[in-house]
Amino acid sequence: MNRRNSLTLGLLVTLALGSAQAAEELPAPIRMVESKGARVVGQFDAPDGLKGYAAEYQGQAMALYLTADGKHVVSGRLFDAQGNDLSREPLERLVFAPMAKEMWAKMEKSAWIADGKDSAPRTVYVFTDPNCPYCTMFWQQARPWVESGKVQLRHVMVGMIRADSMGKAAALLADADPARALHSHELAGKSSPLKPAGKIPEAIQQKLDDNMALAEQMGVTATPSIFYLNEKGRMEQVQGAPRPEQLEQLLGAK
């Protein structure tokens, strides 16, 4: 499970284009690529008369290069004689960075339970299922960072693993002190006495439904799914309990 992913790109987000990039004004070859499902999100400079376009297609970022005559388009990475990838910076700026900002904002508005101080300089979001042993493992791994005040984990509660996962997630969210309830649950591990909610209140059910929809948008297929910002401000993801050598990358120095 411990595979490290860069920013999950299986996300459908709306990125506004400037007037010069309005769909009706795009060159015919670029419109053709759009008609096949690509989403053009911006234009960038390219060498030798080429015009570069940044796009998202089937969960991947792609660079498009329009030829000088405006009649043909080439997709793929462009390298110079020194092996420098000339497509990387435009895709980072026009695709990855806006997606990170958009999805980070969505997680901020989701139904999460705080683990750690609000004043912590680093925030990490974790899609958490109450029945997930790997979530408990990560909770334990993160204790030094959380207890020292360096990191706040925000557990976006979901119900994915077992039939009673949704009910248990609802019980945690509905508790008078969700942070305390989650701490007690994770600390107890397999011995946790947490019981699923009987009838889930409508407001709590809506929060859980919204969390599940967000998880699907963000390509979450397992818990924990951990999202953090790297040193360049780019959102990255780890699914499953991280390997020990990954912890400082996720959580910072101890």
Side-chain angles (χ1 to χ4, degrees), residues 75-240:
S75 67
R77 299 281 180 163
L78 185 67
F79 294 88
D80 64 16
Q82 289 72 45
N84 298 310
D85 183 351
L86 304 182
S87 306
R88 176 179 294 179
E89 186 279 331
L91 292 182
E92 173 70 34
R93 173 168 46 86
L94 296 170
V95 181
F96 291 112
M99 278 187 174
K101 184 177 180 180
E102 179 86 13
M103 299 318 297
W104 196 263
K106 288 188 176 185
M107 287 191 293
E108 286 180 333
K109 296 177 182 178
S110 66
W112 44 266
I113 298 175
D115 177 19
K117 297 179 180 178
D118 290 341
S119 59
R122 182 181 292 243
T123 300
V124 175
Y125 287 92
V126 189
F127 283 83
T128 300
D129 186 303
N131 286 319
C132 170
Y134 296 102
C135 297
T136 299
M137 183 182 299
F138 178 57
W139 183 88
Q140 293 170 340
Q141 289 174 317
R143 288 308 89 200
W145 286 268
V146 173
E147 292 173 1
S148 67
K150 293 182 177 180
V151 173
Q152 183 184 69
L153 300 181
R154 294 181 176 180
H155 294 269
V156 182
M157 302 308 302
V158 294
M160 300 174 63
I161 294 180
R162 297 208 304 253
D164 66 350
S165 289
M166 191 71 77
K168 287 184 176 181
L172 291 170
L173 287 174
D175 194 274
D177 188 345
R180 178 201 57 79
L182 180 64
H183 186 278
S184 297
H185 169 66
E186 298 292 10
L187 183 64
K190 292 182 179 180
S191 302
S192 173
L194 179 66
K195 303 295 183 184
K199 183 178 181 181
I200 301 176
E202 184 177 346
I204 297 295
Q205 185 64 63
Q206 185 61 59
K207 290 180 178 180
L208 289 169
D209 290 345
D210 290 345
N211 281 1
M212 289 296 292
L214 180 59
E216 183 175 354
Q217 277 189 325
M218 300 190 72
V220 171
T221 59
T223 54
S225 276
I226 305 160
F227 291 86
Y228 66 100
L229 299 179
N230 66 17
E231 66 281 359
K232 295 182 178 179
R234 176 171 168 179
M235 189 167 69
E236 301 216 29
Q237 176 187 12
V238 172
Q239 290 202 35

